[in-house]
Amino acid sequence: MPQYWWVNHNQTARQEVEGQYLWSPKTESNGARSEFYRNMRRASPGDVVLSFSRQAIRYVGRVTEFAFTAPKPEEFGQIGLNWSAEGWLLPVYWVPLDPSVQPRSIIGRLGPLLPDRYSPIHPISGNGNQKAYLAPISEPVFDLIVESSSFSQWALRQGGANSMTYPMVNDLLEDVVETAVLSDMTLDVTVKAAVIEARRGQGRFRENVMAREPACRLTGVTNPTLLIASHVKPWRLCSTADERLDAMNGLMLTPDADLLFDRGFISFGDDGEVMVSPRVQRHDLDRLGFHNLAADRFGVSEAPMPWITDRSPEQQRSYMAYHRDQVFIS
């Protein structure tokens, strides 16, 4: 069943609807955690979102990807000058709600249905609550909002195939980083070449990781042609060339394991524990051949293949902690 969400984005609604996404900082400007920003990582593909701006619900959206780290969109311009430069980007496919709905006009019916904590609007006035961004709502709230309006349910279900995806955005952002690397006058030509090769898990980075860890951390596969040199802290999010080339910032993984790790569906504890995202379906793990992951995650006794994983070396633990905190989908 989908979750239902309500987003207050008066300042950025036009940019986010046109761009088919939501974006938020990761924390408040003072560094404090925000439940509304943490909800960006709690949203899942297929969830439904109501867009509230200028005192009305004007769009209905469907989440198409899990949120991932991305810089503040350039199209925001001078909006949110106190926001951090890095935050969560959540791809959402939007369709118009016609006619739009003003919550204050139905607040007598709507107010009692709103959550007691972290409500997106005031249950009496219908005004947006300060600092509220993405907030969970119940299905009855959604039904009440849309009961007198219409939106294309077909478009909402089917649309978004050509909207932004993690691989597409990741490639665009990595292109920006690569351009910056090539123009960095503090790096010599050899280092620049090595850093660019490392973007795709090749060159010096692959050699260094393979020398340290010649088998897939997850499956134990040792055939080099079946292994990818994967960054623990993603290449585009590294702050220096040294981080991008550091063998301790790498794992050798089979392609399927690399995809699961890169998208945050699995991670590793320092003791070697394989962490599996609760948002991964058991049947998907089964179909990928990771029966033992499904067994561990869902309490199934059958584990037809041995699971091989090693403790993280001391020098790798800061990278792995970053992955668990910023990439792993909990």
Side-chain angles (χ1 to χ4, degrees):
M1 295 293 293
Q3 302 175 92
Y4 293 87
W5 303 93
W6 176 309
V7 63
N8 291 345
H9 54 164
N10 199 55
Q11 296 184 82
T12 58
R14 179 181 60 80
Q15 294 89 338
E16 291 179 317
V17 169
E18 289 180 358
Q20 299 186 36
Y21 64 85
L22 293 174
W23 185 92
S24 80
K26 294 183 177 181
T27 64
E28 299 283 358
S29 57
N30 62 1
R33 292 205 171 218
S34 163
E35 283 298 305
F36 299 108
Y37 296 159
R38 294 178 71 180
N39 286 334
M40 295 284 280
R41 293 279 276 171
R42 294 167 176 152
S44 299
D47 287 356
V48 181
V49 189
L50 295 176
S51 165
F52 180 65
S53 66
R54 291 176 289 138
Q55 299 301 317
I57 302 291
R58 302 175 186 278
Y59 291 88
V60 178
R62 176 176 59 84
V63 177
T64 62
E65 280 263 14
F66 291 106
F68 51 88
T69 298
K72 185 171 75 171
E74 291 184 0
E75 55 266 29
F76 282 10
Q78 298 299 304
I79 298 171
L81 291 177
N82 63 329
W83 294 341
S84 59
E86 183 180 279
W88 298 121
L89 190 149
L90 181 68
V92 180
Y93 181 78
W94 298 103
V95 296
L97 184 66
D98 186 29
S100 61
V101 176
Q102 292 187 329
R104 65 174 56 174
S105 68
I106 55 172
I107 199 62
R109 300 166 61 201
L110 180 61
L113 300 176
L114 294 170
D116 294 331
R117 297 187 66 195
Y118 306 118
S119 177
I121 63 173
H122 193 279
I124 297 176
S125 69
N127 293 327
N129 282 331
Q130 188 176 15
K131 293 189 175 181
Y133 184 63
L134 187 65
I137 56 172
S138 64
E139 187 174 3
V141 169
F142 176 82
D143 290 341
L144 177 58
I145 291 292
V146 303
E147 68 175 2
S148 299
S149 299
S150 64
F151 62 94
S152 174
Q153 297 195 34
W154 181 90
L156 195 67
R157 287 194 301 268
Q158 304 298 322
N162 296 320
S163 61
M164 62 174 59
T165 62
Y166 172 78
M168 179 185 75
V169 175
N170 188 62
D171 284 347
L172 290 174
L173 295 176
E174 286 194 346
D175 287 345
V176 173
V177 174
E178 182 171 319
T179 299
V181 169
L182 292 172
S183 61
D184 189 343
M185 301 301 292
T186 68
L187 301 177
D188 65 35
V189 175
T190 303
V191 172
K192 288 181 182 180
V195 170
I196 300 306
E197 288 180 324
R199 172 182 174 180
R200 295 171 177 82
Q202 300 298 323
R204 186 198 307 178
F205 175 71
R206 179 183 173 87
E207 293 171 3
N208 292 344
V209 177
M210 179 69 80
R212 187 188 62 77
E213 186 167 324
C216 173
R217 173 75 65 92
L218 195 63
T219 64
V221 169
T222 58
N223 186 334
T225 62
L226 301 178
L227 297 176
I228 294 173
S230 180
H231 282 84
V232 179
K233 181 178 181 180
W235 183 89
R236 66 178 173 83
L237 300 177
C238 292
S239 55
T240 66
D242 288 341
E243 281 191 335
R244 294 187 174 99
L245 296 174
D246 188 355
M248 289 298 173
N249 189 22
L251 298 176
M252 299 306 297
L253 297 171
T254 56
D256 284 348
D258 172 69
L259 178 61
L260 290 170
F261 186 70
D262 182 59
R263 287 298 287 115
F265 295 129
I266 62 170
S267 192
F268 299 93
D270 291 339
D271 61 355
E273 174 194 4
V274 180
M275 301 170 61
V276 183
S277 169
R279 256 87 72 81
V280 178
Q281 300 297 315
R282 178 190 170 190
H283 63 263
D284 287 334
L285 291 173
D286 283 338
R287 288 165 180 166
L288 286 169
F290 295 134
H291 306 293
N292 45 348
L293 274 187
D296 290 344
R297 168 69 179 84
F298 297 95
V300 181
S301 59
E302 300 85 2
M305 57 182 289
W307 215 240
I308 303 172
T309 181
D310 298 322
R311 294 173 61 88
S312 296
E314 188 71 34
Q315 305 94 315
Q316 190 178 66
R317 293 185 179 182
S318 62
Y319 292 120
M320 201 63 76
Y322 182 97
H323 187 274
R324 291 192 297 267
D325 186 56
Q326 300 293 327
V327 180
F328 181 66
I329 300 171
S330 59

